Amino acid sequence: MEDICPWSTLAPATLQWCERQLCSWIREPANTWSNLAYIIIGIMILIECRKANLGPQRILGFFAILLGLMSGFYHASGSLIGEIVDFSSMFLISVYLISANYARLHLWSQKKANICAVSLGLITVAILIIEPLSGSFLFAGQVTWFVILEFLLWRKNPTKPSYRWFIFSFIALQLAFLIWNLDRSRILCNPDLHWISGHATWHVLTATSLWFIFKFYSQFANPAAGGKIA
């Protein structure tokens, strides 16, 4: 008789990573514990916002902590529902950045920026629920959208902010995407190594990228409402 594993009653996730899943409450240990990086970065963002009186940017800290919890659940359970809530929490960050850039580009009000973020988020999650395999493509598309908007802002704004932190964030994210693909394609892979993995490295690098993008947005009074440079 086969062992009945925890989470076995839940539908399995669509994406499979290099790390071999265990018959355990934590099916992918490395991919699970590495999500602490998001929680640590989220706490750092909240502390920095309190010290520097950066009210609007605090939401990135809350989103980072939520992402760490949801992604941790996804990799602990290896379930489809975990995969959906993981991607949904990733979309919270990407749609916030897109709406914040539209707000900066067109000097939107806070209300209009919020409507944009909520609408885009609901549409994205609906697509994900209908087609679970679309998550990676949706997130990559939103990140690309965000970068294009930032390029338009760079061209439009005569008094350009410092882009040092933005460049650092972009480099960390591109490296993370490279390692993400190497892990998923089993090119960089040791399935029985449960303390580190390519996907775990993705978690650490994307958390670092989020910290850098927070530092970039710290230059603005309220980036989600067309805020001027502080």
Side-chain angles (χ1 to χ4, degrees):
M1 183 178 296
E2 293 184 0
D3 292 336
I4 299 176
C5 300
W7 312 112
S8 60
T9 57
L10 298 179
T14 62
L15 296 175
Q16 299 297 320
W17 309 105
C18 167
E19 186 178 8
R20 194 185 313 279
Q21 293 188 343
L22 306 176
C23 184
S24 168
W25 284 107
I26 299 178
R27 303 194 67 183
E28 301 169 11
N31 292 348
T32 300
W33 297 118
S34 54
N35 285 287
L36 287 172
Y38 295 121
I39 297 173
I40 292 169
I41 291 298
I43 293 171
M44 288 172 59
I45 290 173
L46 294 177
I47 292 173
E48 185 74 11
C49 285
R50 185 174 182 179
K51 287 166 56 179
N53 197 25
L54 298 171
Q57 289 85 346
R58 284 185 303 174
I59 196 166
L60 285 174
F62 293 120
F63 285 167
I65 293 171
L66 181 63
L67 174 57
L69 294 173
M70 295 301 97
S71 183
F73 167 64
Y74 163 41
H75 290 289
S77 65
S79 65
L80 178 60
I81 184 63
E83 185 176 69
I84 290 174
V85 297
D86 176 27
F87 274 115
S88 298
S89 56
M90 291 168 63
F91 296 150
L92 287 176
I93 297 172
S94 55
V95 300
Y96 169 83
L97 296 176
I98 289 171
S99 62
N101 272 7
Y102 270 122
R104 290 167 56 212
L105 190 62
H106 301 296
L107 297 181
W108 283 354
S109 66
Q110 180 74 61
K111 182 179 179 180
K112 192 169 184 178
N114 290 343
I115 291 173
C116 174
V118 171
S119 300
L120 182 58
L122 289 174
I123 292 170
T124 308
V125 172
I127 295 172
L128 177 67
I129 292 172
I130 295 169
E131 181 47 71
L133 287 170
S134 66
S136 302
F137 301 102
L138 288 169
F139 182 69
Q142 289 183 352
V143 170
T144 303
W145 188 356
F146 159 67
V147 172
I148 290 172
L149 289 172
E150 193 60 54
F151 175 73
L152 295 176
L153 280 159
W154 174 80
R155 290 188 60 185
K156 179 181 179 181
N157 194 346
T159 56
K160 303 187 190 314
S162 170
Y163 274 87
R164 179 183 62 165
W165 293 111
F166 183 88
I167 293 170
F168 287 166
S169 177
F170 184 79
I171 292 172
L173 189 59
Q174 293 308 303
L175 182 58
F177 268 119
L178 173 62
I179 294 175
W180 183 93
N181 279 293
L182 291 174
D183 181 271
R184 190 182 174 196
S185 60
R186 307 298 196 273
I187 296 173
L188 182 67
C189 181
N190 182 345
D192 295 313
L193 193 63
H194 293 292
W195 66 272
I196 189 62
S197 68
H199 196 74
T201 306
W202 150 270
H203 290 154
V204 175
L205 286 172
T206 50
T208 303
S209 177
L210 182 58
W211 170 254
F212 290 152
I213 209 66
F214 160 74
K215 295 293 288 183
F216 172 72
Y217 272 105
S218 296
Q219 300 174 93
F220 306 100
N222 188 354
K228 297 179 181 178
I229 298 174

